[in-house]
């Protein structure tokens, strides 16, 4: 879609939010209104209502919205002063708060029929130009994102130009609901989060832990091939360390409160970079030693408000495939290119063929000089150009200490997930005096690259679950083979098969329950086990196994050696069996 088309669609979605607000006012005359912006694929509006909304309310609001659309009411913009705005919105406390912040500015309002809203706009010409829409969910949202403020009711809707586009989107939402990692995580016994332990803290169950261990082992092997050294750093550190780094000033809202230990204040670490710096600084480094690449599967803790926590995708404790590269300025571009290469390799290995690359530039609050920022940004951009990777500039979205490349994975449904990040940092080396002895015999500051290939293990696992709908490729499946004896007399043969398959490194189990074979097959399919080996009288007599795939396909009787070759090939090539 063209930029002009995208702008028009966003305007229409914003107008749909106002239509919804008018409908809610008609149904709940005492409603208090928050804000109602356009968002990706649709819109929302926050309401303070006399009673909680329930799903059955959505069709009623929708019906009233359609009446308003059919009335084709014009959107009329008007500029007024603060005194008049106070008069119009006297019964709307949330609007009054926004008006008070505008001070002496001219205030714009929009009218559509009897409904008036505080809004900058723009809007379509009339309500009749709001096309195809549907209300999809109700959620709670603190006013202005502050948990100390009132909880409002947020109603979400989607809107498109055509019914075909709307139906396609609703179909995607239905698929997404079936793939939801929170739902599948419970059904497949992969992980859990417990209120007793605290929200946003993940407990990995045995099956989930198997997948995590495979991922981490694969990552470590590939990093070692590429010249990384693995390190381990503590989970807590003195607060003074984070004050020196600038995190205390720039990142304070995400840090946990300090704890006192023998008169010193400590906090749990929000990132691993400072530990890696301390390791680097244990002795003088020569220019001949650089680059040094320190990697760590490091667990960190960040305070995320409860309202934004979301399964594995947004948590308070998570593990990163973190690494920091210490290099000379003349090595920087090549090091960034090296990171881009391992990112590309990993994305392909895990089955992601599409991703979006963003170059994030200097934010409003930043450390260092503009010149240093420009040098760092140029290095990232040149590396992308040399690597022939298409990218978009994301203005102002860099971190406080430097610009970055963000890579967003696209899953099987085309949804974007935050994945790899590559950040150039001239700031921390200066703050901590991280240097090397150059050819001239003098100390020079290193350039530091922060990078994570998969990002958070928790978020990447959520992405993997939803990308594959829980049907993991054979190499990642926690249980690869289920051997199903038809009767008790076939148990010994089933266990012989199990032992032989374990000997070649396959993860296998025997369903020894006294249940019907078809039930066992069905349950193994629901557990998304790639292979089921049925063993009965015929298989016992011919020393074969009857192979079924989780898709339901029956491959018939094969030799065990033939099956071993097939399964091992699927593991080694990281293939996805049907």
């Amino acid at each position: 879609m063209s930029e002009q088309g995208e702008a028009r669609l966003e305007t229409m979605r914003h107008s749909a939010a106002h239509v919804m607000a008018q409908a809610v006012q008609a149904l709940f005359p005492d409603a208090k209104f928050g804000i109602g912006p356009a968002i990706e694929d649709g819109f929302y509006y926050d309401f303070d209502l006399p009673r909680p909304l329930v799903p059955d309310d959505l069709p009623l609001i929708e019906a009233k919205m359609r009446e308003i659309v059919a009335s084709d009411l014009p959107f009329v913009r008007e500029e007024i002063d603060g005194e008049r705005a106070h008069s119009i919105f006297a019964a709307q406390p949330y609007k009054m708060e926004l008006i008070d912040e505008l001070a002496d500015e001219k205030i714009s309002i929009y009218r559509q029929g009897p409904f008036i809203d505080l809004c900058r706009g723009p809007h379509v010409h009339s309500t009749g130009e709001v096309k195809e829409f549907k209300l999809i969910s109700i959620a709670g949202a603190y006013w202005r994102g502050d948990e100390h403020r009132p909880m409002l009711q947020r109603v979400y809707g989607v809107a498109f130009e055509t019914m075909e586009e709307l139906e396609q989107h609703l179909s995607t939402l239905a698929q997404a609901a079936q793939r939801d990692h929170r739902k599948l995580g419970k059904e497949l016994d992969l992980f859990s989060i417990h209120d007793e332990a605290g929200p946003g803290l993940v407990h990995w169950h045995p099956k989930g832990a198997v997948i995590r261990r495979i991922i981490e082992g694969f990552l470590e092997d590939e990093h070692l091939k590429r010249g990384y050294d693995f390190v381990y750093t503590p989970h807590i550190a003195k607060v003074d360390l984070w004050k020196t780094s600038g995190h205390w000033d720039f990142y304070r809202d995400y840090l946990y409160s300090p704890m006192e230990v023998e008169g010193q204040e400590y906090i749990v670490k929000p990132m691993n970079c400072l530990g890696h710096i301390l390791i680097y600084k244990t002795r003088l480094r020569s220019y001949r030693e650089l680059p040094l690449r320190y990697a760590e599967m490091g667990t960190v803790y960040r305070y995320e408000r409860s309202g934004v926590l979301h399964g594995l995708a947004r948590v308070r404790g998570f593990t990163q495939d973190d690494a920091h590269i210490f290099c000379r300025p003349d090595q920087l571009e090549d090091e960034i290119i090296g990171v881009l290469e391992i990112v590309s390799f990993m994305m392909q290995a895990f089955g992601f063929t599409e991703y979006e690359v963003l170059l994030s530039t200097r934010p409003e609050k930043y450390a260092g000089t503009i010149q240093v920022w420009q040098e760092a940004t140029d290095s990232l951009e040149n590396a992308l150009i040399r690597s022939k990777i298409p990218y978009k500039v994301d203005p102002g979205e860099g971190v406080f200490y430097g610009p970055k490349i963000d890579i967003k994975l696209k899953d099987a449904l085309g949804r974007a997930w935050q994945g790899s990040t590559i950040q150039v940092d001239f700031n921390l080396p200066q703050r901590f005096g991280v240097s090397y002895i150059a050819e001239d015999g003098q100390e020079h500051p290193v350039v530091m690259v922060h990078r994570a290939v998969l990002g958070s293990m928790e978020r990447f696992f959520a992405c993997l679950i939803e990308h594959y709908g829980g049907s993991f490729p054979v190499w990642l499946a926690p249980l690869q083979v289920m051997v199903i004896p038809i009767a008790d007399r076939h148990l010994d043969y089933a266990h012989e098969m199990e032992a032989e398959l374990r000997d070649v490194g396959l993860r296998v189990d025997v369903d020894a329950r006294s249940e019907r074979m078809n039930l066992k097959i069905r349950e193994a399919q629901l557990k998304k086990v790639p292979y089921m080996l049925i063993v009965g009288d015929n298989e016992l007599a011919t020393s074969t196994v009857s192979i079924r795939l989780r898709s339901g396909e029956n491959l018939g009787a094969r030799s065990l050696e033939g099956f071993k070759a097939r399964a091992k090939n699927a593991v080694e090539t990281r293939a996805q069996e049907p």
Side-chain angles (χ1 to χ4, degrees), residues 8-24 36-39 41-45 47 61-62 65-66 68-69 75 112 115 117 122-124 126-135 155-160:
R8 172 169 173 74
L9 186 56
E10 182 178 359
T11 300
M12 188 265 282
R13 287 168 173 162
H14 185 192
S15 302
H18 279 233
V19 170
M20 178 169 68
Q22 183 180 351
V24 168
I39 56 175
D41 299 323
F43 56 92
Y44 71 77
Y45 212 113
F47 305 103
I61 299 171
E62 256 187 51
M65 289 176 68
R66 297 191 193 286
I68 295 166
V69 169
F75 281 97
Q112 77 236 36
F115 183 73
D117 206 350
H123 286 285
V124 294
S126 68
T127 59
E129 293 183 30
V130 173
K131 302 298 183 184
E132 307 299 337
F133 61 87
K134 185 170 182 60
L135 304 185
V155 180
Y156 285 97
V158 292
F160 293 87

Side-chain angles (χ1 to χ4, degrees), residues 67-276:
E67 290 178 18
I68 295 166
V69 169
S71 299
D72 198 23
L73 304 172
F75 281 97
V76 180
R77 185 178 190 273
E78 184 180 347
E79 284 195 350
I80 60 176
D81 59 25
E83 183 178 352
R84 187 158 175 230
H86 277 96
S87 174
I88 292 171
F89 295 100
Q92 295 291 332
Y94 307 108
K95 300 295 183 183
M96 292 285 277
E97 181 178 325
L98 297 174
I99 290 166
D100 288 341
E101 292 175 1
L102 295 172
D104 297 327
E105 296 179 36
K106 278 290 184 182
I107 295 167
S108 64
I109 61 173
Y110 275 85
R111 300 174 183 267
Q112 77 236 36
F115 183 73
I116 306 173
D117 206 350
L118 183 73
C119 184
R120 291 193 183 94
H123 286 285
V124 294
H125 294 103
S126 68
T127 59
E129 293 183 30
V130 173
K131 302 298 183 184
E132 307 299 337
F133 61 87
K134 185 170 182 60
L135 304 185
I136 58 171
S137 64
I138 305 162
Y142 291 111
W143 171 237
R144 310 195 86 169
D146 185 342
E147 68 263 38
H148 302 296
R149 308 295 299 277
M151 172 72 81
L152 306 183
Q153 298 187 71
R154 177 170 293 179
V155 180
Y156 285 97
V158 292
F160 293 87
E161 291 282 358
T162 67
M163 180 57 74
E164 182 181 4
E165 290 172 305
L166 176 62
E167 289 177 346
Q168 176 60 49
H169 183 73
L170 294 175
S171 174
T172 300
L173 290 180
Q175 292 179 60
Q178 290 302 310
R179 291 169 176 260
D180 190 314
H181 72 276
R182 295 166 298 177
K183 170 180 176 288
L184 290 174
K186 183 175 182 180
E187 291 175 359
L188 300 178
D189 196 21
L190 301 174
F191 69 90
S192 58
I193 297 171
H194 303 270
D195 287 340
E196 306 95 295
L201 300 173
V202 181
H203 295 69
W204 293 74
H205 294 201
K207 290 179 181 176
V210 165
I211 300 173
R212 174 170 169 167
R213 182 168 51 81
I214 294 165
I215 294 171
E216 290 182 351
F218 180 58
L219 278 169
E220 289 175 4
D221 289 346
E222 293 301 325
H223 279 71
L224 291 171
K225 290 177 187 176
R226 290 167 169 80
Y228 285 81
D229 294 307
F230 278 87
V231 298
Y232 297 94
T233 57
H235 286 239
I236 64 172
K238 290 181 181 178
V239 167
D240 290 348
L241 197 63
W242 306 100
K243 290 181 178 178
T244 301
S245 71
H247 289 91
W248 190 256
D249 296 324
F250 289 93
Y251 211 70
R252 182 69 185 91
D253 290 345
Y254 294 96
L255 302 182
Y256 279 99
S257 298
M259 65 187 90
E260 186 173 312
V261 181
E262 296 181 345
Q264 297 278 351
E265 287 190 322
Y266 287 74
I267 60 169
V268 290
K269 65 177 178 180
M271 58 273 299
N272 304 298
C273 48
L274 303 192
H276 296 187

